[in-house]
Amino acid sequence: MHFSIPDTQELKDNHGGTYVGYNIHINGAYHCTVRYRQLHSFNEQLKREYGSTYLPHFPPKKLLPLSPPQLEERRVLLEKYIQMLTQDPDIGDCNIFKGFLLSAQQETQNAVQEDIDLDVYMMNWHKVTVRVNTIDSTDTVLLEIAKEINLPEELVCYFCLYLVRKVEAEIKMERRLQNFEAPFLSQKAADSSHCIVIRKSYWDPGYDEDILSNKIALNLLYVQAMSDVEQGWVIANKQTKRQLATLQSKGSKQEYLQLVRTLRHYGYIQFEPCICNYPEPNTQVVISIGGKEINFRIPASNNQVKEGSFRITRIRCWRIITSNTNNQEENSSQHLLELSFEYLLSKDKLQWITVKSDQAVLMSVCLQGMVEELLSKRNGLKFKKQSEQGSRHCSWSYMKRDGSSYEISVSRSSSSEGIVDNEEDYSRRLNKSRDHVRKEKFSSYFVKPSGRSSSGSLSPESLMENDVFEGIGDDDL
């Protein structure tokens, strides 16, 4: 995941004083605003849980008010701290980490806890309405959807939620929702054109075999495949499209999936047109990601399209760069995103390929997911292997901006985990699905912050090294 603190804002407290708020962005989207002492309290709790030597350096307190250069230095150090922190899968999956971010999102939006009806869409735009709490995490909402459509709990991990923007018939994938955020709050923070959809969570089509025997899971795959065909994300000639239309009219879902799974780009995500530096600078390209590759389609003359693929196993590393540009006419700034990956073009030639797109972070998340699946198969692990996660301790606290705090505790039982606290039973709902939908732990990449930021055209960039690349053989060349 890509964490950044691109800027700060001055906020007022209840006594008329001011303080600095640090704006945390996750996977390219604004998530919350916190002050330094909240992050300090968060770090102290992690130190008690894991030990100080296990954590990255946290910028120390200062006795005197910070000057503007010192404030900028603290912003950069806090950004590096959270970027380094999140590269440890134990910390990234622990309840303290997820609970802090979920609580901070709630506080930032001044969210009131109440039960609401949340609309979630399948990829054929059939609406499923579930009764959830405004602060329910993504995994909790996903479980409620599964109950509503009768999807077995053991198959929930094969699906995930995305925030998408739909304009007329066009779909733009914004980002995959994570368990440290509340889907209701994330959707509320976006504009009215955004909605939440359910899609499969994996990239290797071989995992289809694990769930096709269940009619609910099969139907979810079927409606996603239909949508992708209609969107043009799956490559099919006219004859195949007619065959698919015939099977669809007959309601032959099994046969439809059997055919569509043989087509190129099945299960891929297609991104909006963007700019890249390959094969030459300022090349317009349409990118699709899925399976084990990044696919480029470049418009050519006579309505032809040149196509090329970059295999995941030949990507040595990749990085996200965020640059800030000032719009003098509108007196505002914009964040421009770039995804760059170092690719083994031939046996002795590595080259950086750079893509400029506001969906660059989602592209990076897709790459990470595919790498994790490849490593999982290499290590002989089953999909989403169950493992014990979460905090070793059963309680922690969240410090609010005003300095007050409340305890959050996990009460363990033989069959499930309930959460109880002293603020309107907040965390009873916070992580009630923590042990039902879990992430596999991998060491597929690490981050080396190398920032240029003080005056700041570039925020600290993350270099993600691909362990799958180390196993490349001559057959891959």
Side-chain angles (χ1 to χ4, degrees), residues 172-375:
K172 178 181 178 181
M173 307 296 293
E174 293 283 351
R175 59 193 179 88
R176 178 171 169 171
L177 297 176
Q178 305 292 330
N179 199 37
F180 50 69
E181 61 185 313
F184 171 79
L185 298 180
S186 296
Q187 184 182 19
K188 182 182 176 182
D191 61 52
S192 58
S193 65
H194 288 77
C195 57
I196 299 170
V197 301
I198 181 170
R199 285 180 66 92
K200 64 180 183 179
S201 62
Y202 55 89
W203 299 102
D204 187 339
Y207 287 124
D208 287 353
E209 302 298 334
D210 295 350
I211 60 177
L212 282 175
S213 59
N214 178 268
K215 65 179 182 180
I216 304 299
L218 181 146
N219 188 60
L220 289 173
L221 294 183
Y222 171 68
V223 297
Q224 178 176 324
M226 281 197 307
S227 171
D228 291 354
V229 170
E230 292 170 1
Q231 290 287 319
W233 292 9
V234 176
I235 307 299
N237 57 35
K238 292 182 179 180
Q239 180 181 353
T240 304
K241 287 181 178 179
R242 284 195 296 267
Q243 291 177 290
L244 290 171
T246 300
L247 292 172
Q248 182 179 338
S249 65
K250 293 179 179 179
S252 303
K253 298 179 182 180
Q254 286 274 12
E255 291 81 357
Y256 186 100
L257 277 173
Q258 287 175 3
L259 177 56
V260 78
R261 290 175 67 205
T262 66
L263 302 178
R264 293 176 55 242
H265 296 183
Y266 166 72
Y268 286 37
I269 286 180
Q270 182 172 297
F271 298 85
E272 292 195 326
C274 55
I275 302 296
C276 73
N277 68 341
Y278 185 86
E280 57 187 31
N282 297 317
T283 298
Q284 291 189 345
V285 62
V286 173
I287 294 177
S288 296
I289 296 181
K292 301 176 183 178
E293 67 173 12
I294 306 174
N295 180 270
F296 277 29
R297 281 181 284 171
I298 303 171
S301 57
N302 301 323
N303 295 322
Q304 299 296 310
V305 175
K306 294 181 179 180
E307 188 171 350
S309 294
F310 298 92
R311 283 183 277 175
I312 299 303
T313 51
R314 296 176 68 171
I315 294 176
R316 191 183 74 85
C317 58
W318 71 90
R319 65 192 178 197
I320 293 287
I321 300 175
T322 306
S323 59
N324 298 323
T325 61
N326 294 321
N327 189 325
Q328 296 180 354
E329 294 182 359
E330 299 181 4
N331 193 28
S332 63
S333 63
Q334 291 180 315
H335 300 302
L336 300 180
L337 293 170
E338 294 181 1
L339 168 70
S340 296
F341 57 92
E342 191 175 25
Y343 191 75
L344 188 65
L345 287 175
S346 60
K347 192 171 185 179
D348 300 313
K349 183 179 181 182
L350 281 163
Q351 179 173 328
W352 281 97
I353 312 296
T354 298
V355 175
K356 296 181 179 180
S357 168
D358 62 357
Q359 294 176 290
V361 174
L362 180 56
M363 294 179 186
S364 176
V365 171
C366 294
L367 287 178
Q368 177 186 336
M370 288 187 287
V371 167
E372 289 177 349
E373 285 186 14
L374 287 172
L375 286 173

Side-chain angles (χ1 to χ4, degrees), residues 159-173:
F159 298 93
C160 62
L161 300 180
Y162 279 90
L163 187 68
V164 308
R165 180 163 59 86
K166 186 181 182 185
V167 180
E168 296 180 350
E170 296 294 324
I171 300 173
K172 178 181 178 181
M173 307 296 293

